[in-house]
Amino acid sequence: MVVGHVAPEAFLGGPIALVEDGDTIVIDLNTDRLECVQFGDFDLYERRAAAWRAAAEGNGGLHPDVTPVTDRMLARMRATALPALLGGGMATPLAT
């Protein structure tokens, strides 16, 4: 099985942003769940979340790995990206 996932949740500091190399991920196809075993340790999860927030604050409030947007298309993609739970992809701007 191969799982690849890039999501606005990671950009916003959701759980995907806190997964680190070496973490154990459990995939349950029967319940459609993907879980990081390490997050069972709430203190570890909170430490990672706090470190992520501190790094984001040091980057102007953005994800620590985000670089400035210099391309109009990328700016539009970042502004209209949908979360995975809504099917991913790009939102269609509402006509005014």
Side-chain angles (χ1 to χ4, degrees):
M1 173 170 291
V2 176
V3 176
H5 190 75
V6 177
E9 289 92 341
F11 180 78
L12 299 173
I16 290 173
L18 307 180
V19 173
E20 296 181 357
D21 287 344
D23 283 352
T24 300
I25 305 298
V26 175
I27 302 167
D28 186 336
L29 296 175
N30 295 316
T31 60
D32 291 332
R33 293 187 59 86
L34 206 127
E35 295 182 11
C36 178
V37 171
Q38 282 70 17
F39 293 167
D41 178 348
F42 186 72
D43 290 334
L44 173 65
Y45 181 87
E46 284 299 310
R47 283 193 306 276
R48 287 188 185 180
W52 190 94
R53 286 189 299 270
E57 287 175 17
N59 193 33
L62 298 173
H63 187 288
D65 296 330
V66 169
T67 56
V69 175
T70 58
D71 180 273
R72 189 174 63 122
M73 180 61 83
L74 179 56
R76 184 175 186 154
M77 291 176 71
R78 282 188 182 175
T80 61
L82 293 172
L85 291 174
L86 296 178
M90 314 312 289
T92 303
L94 296 175
T96 56

